[in-house]
Amino acid sequence: MKVTKTDIEGLLIIDPSVFSDDRGYFFESYNQAKYKEAGIAVDFIQDNQSFSRKGTVRALHGQADPFAQGKLVRVITGRVLDVAVDIRKASPTYGKHFSIELSGDNQLQFWVPAGFLHGFSVLEDNTTFAYKVNNYYDKASELGVIWNDPTLNIDWGLAPGEALLSHKDVLLSDFKSFISPF
């Protein structure tokens, strides 16, 4: 596998070694020893999966300590634009975001450690998104910022009016009002 650092410290792109032939493909989607060697030395405790239609936006979420989560994300089928926003107050990239297209075709994975808000927009119908986390969900520890915050200025890759949002995500505050616990 190939690991690429991004311009935001801590975010990693993982390009697994995929073995293809006329029957299909095979790859290790996770190997603890290899990921530890790559700098992802966490104990994953839960796997999550979502299925979404084109235009769905699931963003921008995180959790505060002691339930902060690191996430190893990937797409099984379909395509998403995956986004991470740095909310580590002492970071030189505080408030900056990084986005990457993940798909069932490119098989890329994205490591988003604790200290980031995370979200994605679905670019194709019938998209299955999967991720491993290293801490449990805790409703009282939830953090979030509105997906279309003008300060963050994230291009979600969707046409105007195309975004499908949960009621909870529509009510999130803007980034200027957000107080980071990190």
Side-chain angles (χ1 to χ4, degrees):
M1 78 180 183
K2 178 182 172 192
V3 179
T4 305
K5 293 181 179 182
T6 69
D7 56 354
I8 298 179
E9 183 67 34
L11 297 176
L12 301 174
I13 301 165
I14 295 96
D15 189 357
S17 298
V18 179
F19 304 96
S20 300
D21 61 25
D22 58 348
R23 300 169 296 162
Y25 68 83
F26 170 85
F27 72 95
E28 287 183 343
S29 61
Y30 179 71
N31 176 310
Q32 187 179 46
K34 289 180 182 177
Y35 281 70
K36 184 176 182 178
E37 185 178 310
I40 304 171
V42 300
D43 290 324
F44 291 111
I45 60 169
Q46 184 173 315
D47 284 353
N48 299 318
Q49 185 169 308
S50 68
F51 180 80
S52 305
R53 68 185 218 195
K54 183 178 180 185
T56 297
V57 176
R58 298 181 188 269
L60 287 160
H61 308 134
Q63 292 191 167
D65 283 333
F67 293 97
Q69 293 179 324
K71 299 177 182 178
L72 180 63
V73 303
R74 68 188 182 104
V75 169
I76 297 171
T77 59
R79 283 185 318 127
V80 306
L81 183 72
D82 201 78
V83 178
V85 177
D86 189 350
I87 58 168
R88 301 167 297 177
K89 291 182 275 193
S91 170
T93 53
Y94 177 78
K96 303 292 184 204
H97 70 276
F98 180 85
S99 60
I100 183 171
E101 185 174 305
L102 305 176
S103 73
D105 290 335
N106 70 22
Q107 302 290 353
L108 294 175
Q109 298 176 355
F110 188 39
W111 167 243
V112 181
F116 287 82
L117 295 175
H118 174 259
F120 61 93
S121 61
V122 179
L123 306 176
E124 195 173 286
D125 278 333
N126 302 316
T127 292
T128 303
F129 184 87
Y131 56 106
K132 302 175 111 30
V133 294
N134 67 336
N135 210 340
Y136 294 108
Y137 169 75
D138 180 70
K139 185 170 181 53
S141 300
E142 284 184 342
L143 306 169
V145 168
I146 191 79
W147 72 284
N148 60 351
D149 180 89
T151 302
L152 298 176
N153 194 31
I154 298 169
D155 179 356
W156 291 94
L158 300 173
E162 188 177 17
L164 304 170
L165 301 152
S166 71
H167 179 70
K168 178 178 90 169
D169 285 355
V170 172
L171 300 176
L172 292 171
S173 66
D174 63 12
F175 192 71
K176 287 182 181 178
S177 303
F178 177 72
I179 299 171
S180 177
F182 293 96

